[in-house]
Amino acid sequence: MSATANTFSIKSIFLDFKEITKAGLAISVLFSSIAGYLLGFDDAHPFSWRVLAMLIVGGYCMVGASNAYNQVIEKDLDALMDRTKNRPVPSGRMSPNMALFVASLLTIVGLVLLYLINPKTAMFGAVSIFLYTSVYTPLKTVTPLSVFVGAFPGAIPFMLGWVAATGDFGIEAGTLFLIQFFWQFPHFWAIGWFLYEDYEKAGFFMLPSGKRDNTTALQVILYTSWLIGASLLPFVLPYFVLTKLSLSVVAALLVLILGLWLLSHGIRLYRLRTAKAAKSLMLASVAYITLLQIIYIADKFLR
């Protein structure tokens, strides 16, 4: 019985750790950082398993810390929403002090590991945590502009991998940042749409107009269009400036088709204005950013 209880306890701690760090989200964010690293390394900055490992562990710590801080700050609001009321802190399985300790420990470990890669990587990691916890989180109950503010820390992972590989923030890292920045809007507005009632219980303002209306749907279409333009910059920029980030004609065509596919989901939301259409848009946005990064990486290594 004692061994069974210990096993159950260890399993519970592990599951709570996964939940408080939002492991699924953290892993998807890490994929962006890994993609950025694979795009960034070259002869001048050779591939390093050591650096990649530190980026993965350090990156997970930084994302996990942000999520843990967020759950401490929003514990009372999380208790009001169906999708969050069973999280470790609002459910009472983990005390706020313990969650704060976990978040602080992850911050320290993450910053140290990212600093060992290079100081710029650590700086951007620290900026991401600060903006997410100290600016974005408090604004969620104040203004729909919270999504705009949250898009900044949300856009850092893709370019963070490039900075980890090269130690430099230039036009290439800026392009990767811009892509993931514009991607945030259709993705999170779609979530805000189909979870509207749940967010309303906690007083979160996630949609640009505050309502599930044509204005919000038009904003989705507009930002998706800008996302498509930003995603094609690696194809366009080499004609005007010297850059290490480029796309072949075939890759650019695939990116364009992918973008038009995502845009069709935005148009569908505008026409139907249903939670089902919003959920489809959210899933399509996740597929878009993943497939886009795969195309970028494949294009680099297959050319």
Side-chain angles (χ1 to χ4, degrees), residues 144 147-148 150-151 155 177-195 199 206-208 215-231 258-270 274-289 292:
V147 175
F148 177 79
F177 177 88
L178 198 64
I179 291 167
Q180 206 158 29
F181 177 81
F182 283 125
W183 173 81
Q184 306 285 318
F185 295 93
H187 177 70
F188 282 104
W189 284 338
I191 294 173
W193 189 298
F194 75 80
L195 291 177
Y199 278 131
M206 303 300 292
L207 300 180
T215 301
T216 289
L218 281 172
Q219 290 286 315
V220 167
I221 292 172
L222 177 63
Y223 277 84
T224 302
S225 300
W226 287 345
L227 169 61
I228 295 171
S231 299
L258 191 63
L260 293 176
W261 172 72
L262 181 62
L263 184 62
S264 71
H265 281 80
I267 294 171
R268 184 168 178 265
L269 177 63
Y270 178 80
T274 63
K276 184 178 179 181
K279 196 163 191 175
S280 294
L281 172 62
M282 184 275 290
L283 294 173
S285 69
V286 173
Y288 175 87
I289 197 67
L292 175 85

Side-chain angles (χ1 to χ4, degrees), residues 6 60 100 121 159 184 223:
N6 287 338
Y60 187 96
L100 191 60
T121 304
M159 70 86 166
Q184 306 285 318
Y223 277 84

Side-chain angles (χ1 to χ4, degrees):
M1 287 293 292
S2 178
T4 303
N6 287 338
T7 301
F8 179 76
S9 178
I10 292 171
K11 182 180 179 182
S12 299
I13 291 170
F14 176 71
L15 291 175
D16 281 346
F17 179 80
K18 280 179 60 180
E19 195 161 357
I20 201 166
T21 59
K22 294 186 183 177
L25 172 62
I27 290 170
S28 68
V29 170
L30 278 182
F31 184 83
S32 293
S33 293
I34 294 169
Y37 181 81
L38 294 177
L39 290 172
F41 83 86
D42 55 19
D43 293 337
H45 309 94
F47 178 87
S48 168
W49 283 109
R50 174 178 165 274
V51 170
L52 184 59
M54 289 193 294
L55 177 64
I56 291 171
V57 178
Y60 187 96
C61 286
M62 301 304 280
V63 177
S66 295
N67 291 328
Y69 283 129
N70 173 267
Q71 290 180 51
V72 171
I73 296 168
E74 294 183 346
K75 63 183 186 302
D76 295 331
L77 298 177
D78 280 348
L80 301 175
M81 296 186 290
D82 293 333
R83 73 181 188 90
T84 56
K85 64 185 180 183
N86 291 319
R87 284 176 175 175
V89 179
S91 68
R93 295 195 309 273
M94 182 182 294
S95 70
N97 286 340
M98 176 56 71
L100 191 60
F101 171 77
V102 170
S104 301
L105 182 61
L106 289 172
T107 301
I108 294 169
V109 173
L111 282 176
V112 169
L113 288 173
L114 295 184
Y115 186 83
L116 290 174
I117 296 174
N118 60 60
K120 286 183 181 177
T121 304
M123 179 194 73
F124 283 119
V127 168
S128 177
I129 287 184
F130 173 77
L131 288 177
Y132 189 86
T133 60
S134 300
V135 185
Y136 164 68
T137 296
L139 284 177
K140 285 166 67 179
T141 57
V142 178
T143 172
L145 288 175
S146 62
V147 175
F148 177 79
V149 174
F152 284 91
I156 287 177
F158 199 9
M159 70 86 166
L160 192 70
W162 184 283
V163 176
T166 65
D168 179 54
F169 180 85
I171 192 169
E172 299 89 355
T175 298
L176 299 182
F177 177 88
L178 198 64
I179 291 167
Q180 206 158 29
F181 177 81
F182 283 125
W183 173 81
Q184 306 285 318
F185 295 93
H187 177 70
F188 282 104
W189 284 338
I191 294 173
W193 189 298
F194 75 80
L195 291 177
Y196 182 83
E197 288 85 358
D198 217 21
Y199 278 131
E200 195 174 35
K201 294 175 185 175
F204 287 148
F205 299 91
M206 303 300 292
L207 300 180
S209 69
K211 302 175 183 177
R212 293 179 290 188
D213 57 13
N214 283 346
T215 301
T216 289
L218 281 172
Q219 290 286 315
V220 167
I221 292 172
L222 177 63
Y223 277 84
T224 302
S225 300
W226 287 345
L227 169 61
I228 295 171
S231 299
L232 290 170
L233 281 177
F235 176 71
V236 176
L237 286 177
Y239 290 101
F240 301 97
V241 296
L242 186 63
T243 174
K244 297 177 183 178
L245 182 64
S246 63
L247 284 180
S248 67
V249 173
V250 173
L253 182 60
L254 290 175
V255 168
L256 177 60
I257 292 170
L258 191 63
L260 293 176
W261 172 72
L262 181 62
L263 184 62
S264 71
H265 281 80
I267 294 171
R268 184 168 178 265
L269 177 63
Y270 178 80
R271 288 192 298 105
L272 301 179
R273 285 185 291 169
T274 63
K276 184 178 179 181
K279 196 163 191 175
S280 294
L281 172 62
M282 184 275 290
L283 294 173
S285 69
V286 173
Y288 175 87
I289 197 67
T290 304
L291 291 173
L292 175 85
Q293 291 163 352
I294 291 173
I295 291 170
Y296 275 28
I297 294 167
D299 188 55
K300 173 182 176 177
F301 289 102
L302 294 178
R303 271 189 287 159

